[in-house]
Amino acid sequence: MIDVRALAEAEFRDSVDLFRRALLRRPPTDEEWARRRGMLEPGRVLGAFDGGELVGTARAASNRLAVPGGRVPAGAVTAVGVRADHTRRGVLRALVRAQFEDVRQRGEPVAMLHATEAVIYERFGYGVATRHRRVELERARAVFRDDAPRGGRVRVLTREAADLLLPEVYERCAPDRPGRIERARPWWSGTWGFLGEDVLVAVHTGADGVDDGFAVYEPKHGERGTALEVHDLTGADATAVAQLWRFLLGVDLVDRVVAHERPLDEPLEWWLADRRQCRVTEVADDLWVRLVDVLAALRARSYGAADPVVVEVRDAVLPDNAGCYRIGPDGVERSSAAPQLGLDVAALAALYLGDQPVSTLVAAGRVEVRDPAAVAAADRLFGTAVTPWCGTGF
Ligand SMILES: CC(C)(COP(=O)(O)OP(=O)(O)OC[C@H]1O[C@@H](n2cnc3c(N)ncnc32)[C@H](O)[C@@H]1OP(=O)(O)O)[C@@H](O)C(=O)NCCC(=O)NCCS
């Protein structure tokens, strides 16, 4: 019998040790723990117990997710781990159930996470709501076009200066882009803790004198020469982002620039004289979203101009979400009308921020069509002008 309860603060470190060992990593040192402990939110660190012994853990942090036309309170789920001698016995299932209950009680219509493996979370109703790509460029060949955006200046910062400045700059960087989440103070201190001593920071200042973008990067020396690995790069507009890329591609002694977790619509190839020099080496799932309260989550976003569509949602884990919803530009209601489309709550998550057109999920066999005219309407309702992107690990 597995019991799940919120851990007391005195038990937090045990939870982190258990999680780290589940990921086959060593537990944090005292110094690392001192930096990270602030990331654990009292009341939101869950422990699963078997006969009084801690055998699994999962935690969440209160956050807000940008959705088309607004923001929705969201529980940012992380540090999910089950002790190796207790896996495949339903410990995760028990933790997820308790966590959904807690997320709902806090009035968060959405839970979200980054998954270590793609096969774990869909069964609980999570779906891939944003994706990202990894790009790799040979510095000598990646030459910017003259008509690529240009302006402002870039300066490098010490880590201490960056620590003070970056939280403020992040606030200016595309705060309304669907998929974007907030970075509270403890996130910054915790994240610096994860990054190595060699990490460098560059900040872009716009022509108006305001700092409006930054890049966090790290030189890596290997058999293929020296690479700059970009951990984090964001800007308030295309000029800030282009100028940061120009800077990175101009650093002496560097052979390659490799950037992880970039937005799919970053126009890097359009800025280059030879677009093939922007090599996309991976496209992967980024943010997984779970609509824990489907009605509230659907109501939190806006919809494009189209006829309303009645959608039947299935939800085996939280069955009170199941039923028909009339979704239109004027809002969302529960409906007793005949459904035109049908889908599982995990598929709905893939539509939620506009990552996938409805028609793609129809082709994938993940949306059933009962009224063919509803597909084009649903594409227009859910479609967004901006490709969603999270870009923040947690
Ligand atoms: C992944 C992990 C949390 C799963 O915990 P668990 O207690 O073994 O999971 P459960 O027994 O509750 O399994 C629930 C379901 O998920 C499936 N499942 C769980 N982990 C899976 C995995 N890694 N691959 C495929 N299926 C998995 C189970 O087979 C089970 O399926 P069912 O509903 O059809 O019976 C645990 O194995 C673990 O800690 N792994 C290492 C750390 C890790 O990857 N953490 C995830 C961080 S995002």
Side-chain angles (χ1 to χ4, degrees):
M1 172 68 185
I2 301 296
D3 297 311
V4 176
R5 63 165 170 84
L7 296 180
E9 284 182 55
E11 298 167 303
F12 282 6
R13 194 162 176 180
D14 293 341
S15 140
V16 171
D17 289 358
L18 189 152
F19 165 63
R20 298 272 305 176
R21 287 198 199 283
L23 284 187
L24 306 178
R25 301 207 194 127
R26 61 161 176 76
T29 61
D30 289 347
E31 194 197 330
E32 288 163 346
W33 172 240
R35 269 200 300 252
R36 288 181 200 177
R37 62 186 310 162
M39 295 174 89
L40 282 70
E41 221 175 286
R44 303 208 75 166
V45 185
L46 299 182
F49 291 84
D50 182 10
E53 219 183 327
L54 184 69
V55 294
T57 186
R59 65 178 199 250
S62 311
N63 205 309
R64 289 197 312 156
L65 170 69
V67 297
R71 273 181 188 60
V72 64
V77 172
T78 185
V80 178
V82 173
R83 216 170 72 181
D85 56 1
H86 276 68
T87 54
R88 307 302 180 271
R89 298 186 203 175
V91 176
L92 174 63
R93 188 166 284 278
L95 284 163
V96 168
R97 280 190 176 279
Q99 199 167 47
F100 284 166
E101 209 167 290
D102 182 62
V103 164
R104 276 185 165 182
Q105 270 171 14
R106 289 168 190 271
E108 294 167 337
V110 165
M112 56 190 181
L113 55 80
H114 295 286
T116 48
E117 288 183 275
V119 288
I120 302 174
Y121 291 101
E122 203 173 281
R123 74 190 75 240
F124 302 119
Y126 281 92
V128 177
T130 75
R131 290 169 299 143
H132 53 214
R133 68 181 195 170
R134 178 178 191 269
V135 293
E136 214 171 311
L137 301 93
E138 297 295 325
R139 191 177 76 89
R141 295 187 188 172
V143 178
F144 262 57
R145 291 167 60 103
D146 290 341
D147 56 6
R150 176 187 293 279
R153 65 192 167 81
V154 171
R155 70 186 191 283
V156 289
L157 286 191
T158 63
R159 213 169 148 134
E160 291 71 30
D163 199 13
L164 294 175
L165 186 63
L166 296 199
E168 169 194 327
V169 181
Y170 180 74
E171 293 306 311
R172 297 186 193 116
C173 296
D176 300 326
R177 179 179 192 134
R180 188 215 200 244
I181 64 167
E182 291 171 357
R183 295 180 178 183
R185 256 280 149 209
W187 183 91
W188 288 98
S189 21
T191 297
W192 284 126
F194 285 110
L195 296 173
E197 288 297 314
D198 295 339
V199 162
L200 299 161
V201 177
V203 168
H204 179 261
T205 310
D208 56 1
V210 176
D211 294 327
D212 60 1
F214 60 85
V216 177
Y217 59 102
E218 187 171 5
K220 292 271 170 86
H221 309 285
E223 279 174 12
R224 289 174 61 204
T226 297
L228 286 188
E229 243 180 67
V230 183
H231 296 296
D232 198 0
L233 191 163
T234 188
D237 57 24
T239 303
V241 176
Q243 207 60 38
L244 286 161
W245 269 109
R246 244 195 217 97
F247 165 77
L248 293 168
L249 290 166
V251 175
D252 285 339
L253 306 179
V254 169
D255 299 297
R256 280 174 304 125
V257 179
V258 181
H260 310 270
E261 303 178 7
R262 303 304 304 148
L264 297 188
D265 63 345
E266 181 169 61
L268 188 52
E269 46 274 70
W270 293 93
W271 293 335
L272 298 177
D274 176 356
R275 59 185 302 128
R276 290 187 185 175
Q277 295 306 321
C278 172
R279 290 200 304 116
V280 176
T281 50
E282 183 183 60
V283 174
D285 51 283
D286 177 23
L287 193 70
W288 292 67
V289 161
R290 201 324 167 173
L291 307 189
V292 177
D293 178 338
V294 169
L295 183 62
L298 288 176
R299 282 181 169 166
R301 64 156 286 183
S302 60
Y303 296 89
D307 287 338
V309 169
V310 177
V311 177
E312 183 174 21
V313 178
R314 293 185 299 275
D315 190 336
V317 179
L318 297 170
D320 53 348
N321 278 325
C324 292
Y325 297 83
R326 180 187 178 278
I327 301 166
D330 54 340
V332 180
E333 298 294 340
R334 286 257 190 187
S335 172
S336 52
Q340 297 160 284
L341 302 174
L343 80 184
D344 184 77
V345 70
L348 185 61
L351 306 176
Y352 186 54
L353 300 177
D355 181 64
Q356 293 295 330
V358 176
S359 44
T360 299
L361 293 199
V362 170
R366 298 294 302 269
V367 174
E368 301 107 46
V369 180
R370 292 164 203 159
D371 172 6
V375 177
D379 269 343
R380 286 196 297 276
L381 288 168
F382 280 95
T384 54
V386 182
T387 305
W389 177 56
C390 178
T392 297
F394 56 86

